[in-house]
Amino acid sequence: ELVKADSLFEQKKYTESFDLYEQILDEEQLASPKMLLKMAFIKEGLGDYSRALYFLNVYYQKTSDKQARTKMKGIAEEHNLSGFDINDSDFFLNLLNKYKSIVAYSIFGFSLILLALILYQKYGARTRPVLLSILFVATQVILINVLNYSNVNSQAIIIESNSYLMSGPSSGADFVEIVDKGHRVKTFDEHGPWLEILWNDKVVYIKKNRVKKLG
């Protein structure tokens, strides 16, 4: 299917190739960076900038490619979209998310070495391992934060125009605002068909079928 999709893309049969790429992504949950770039290119060419931003964002999460980050910011500025500000901390945090397993295992391995040294000093050398104990506790705190990082960094892109934001997870809640597609927002808990998001520093709710979650 991937070979067929790539062939259609080379023939500039973009809609047909995108359908196959999307099928591969949905059914097999597999997407190479190259495939994601092609999907973003197709959607941007068709004028669907919100989904182009989505695929660029997923590509960026996989690669930390600064050019993709700059491209997303350019599209966001062109369409007056929020949530795409560029800063070095975001780049670092994205790298952390990408290599979270490696970082976590490295910290865990280092903490085991510290634990062995603590036990040696306490029971072998008969000294108080105060400094090592403090360092061990610090590594555990860092490890917990690394493991939980993705839970506090969930994001989504609004993919439907004229999306209603409500003050609560209900159609009967107070109306907050109508927003256009393309904005990237931080997400929190799900409440049935509703998703809790952060909009202009305020917690609001949007229907889940109006967004595509990242990560």
Side-chain angles (χ1 to χ4, degrees), residues 7-212:
S7 176
L8 289 168
F9 183 88
E10 293 300 323
Q11 297 172 48
K12 299 184 179 181
K13 296 180 180 180
Y14 297 128
T15 303
E16 295 174 54
S17 64
F18 181 86
D19 289 341
L20 283 176
Y21 286 139
E22 191 169 41
Q23 180 181 327
I24 294 168
L25 183 60
D26 290 343
E27 293 182 0
E28 301 183 32
Q29 299 296 307
L30 295 173
S32 68
K34 189 175 181 180
M35 186 178 107
L36 290 166
L37 275 183
K38 289 178 179 179
M39 295 177 82
F41 172 83
I42 293 169
K43 282 302 178 182
E44 185 182 9
L46 294 172
D48 190 349
Y49 58 86
S50 63
R51 284 177 171 81
L53 284 168
Y54 171 78
F55 292 117
L56 277 172
N57 212 132
V58 178
Y59 168 81
Y60 175 66
Q61 289 177 328
K62 285 179 172 286
T63 65
S64 297
D65 185 345
K66 287 188 175 182
Q67 288 185 327
R69 189 175 65 172
T70 303
K71 176 67 173 177
M72 286 190 290
K73 183 172 176 59
I75 295 175
E77 289 177 345
E78 181 182 350
H79 296 281
N80 196 28
L81 303 173
S82 62
F84 292 92
D85 294 332
I86 292 177
N87 57 66
D88 290 334
S89 63
D90 285 342
F91 178 71
F92 170 77
L93 291 173
N94 188 70
L95 278 177
L96 175 60
N97 198 52
K98 180 182 176 183
Y99 297 109
K100 185 171 70 172
S101 296
I102 296 174
V103 173
Y105 278 120
S106 299
I107 295 172
F108 180 70
F110 181 64
S111 67
L112 288 179
I113 294 173
L114 288 175
L115 182 60
L117 290 173
I118 289 170
L119 293 174
Y120 171 75
Q121 280 197 3
K122 186 174 182 179
Y123 298 106
R126 301 293 181 180
T127 58
R128 296 182 63 188
V130 177
L131 184 59
L132 286 175
S133 297
I134 293 172
L135 189 56
F136 177 78
V137 172
T139 58
Q140 299 311 297
V141 172
I142 294 172
L143 180 60
I144 291 170
N145 279 279
V146 168
L147 291 174
N148 290 326
Y149 166 67
S150 62
N151 295 331
V152 298
N153 195 48
S154 298
Q155 294 180 318
I157 291 179
I158 299 173
I159 59 169
E160 299 292 344
S161 296
N162 301 318
S163 293
Y164 283 73
L165 303 182
M166 310 299 289
S167 62
S170 167
S171 299
D174 292 337
F175 166 77
V176 176
E177 191 175 343
I178 297 177
V179 297
D180 205 354
K181 64 181 181 180
H183 299 284
R184 186 171 66 182
V185 294
K186 288 185 178 180
T187 66
F188 302 107
D189 295 332
E190 295 183 4
H191 302 266
W194 296 87
L195 178 65
E196 186 179 348
I197 67 171
L198 189 67
W199 177 257
N200 291 335
D201 297 322
K202 183 189 297 184
V203 173
V204 295
Y205 298 84
I206 188 172
K207 283 289 187 70
K208 289 192 294 187
N209 60 2
R210 313 296 290 184
V211 304
K212 280 187 76 71

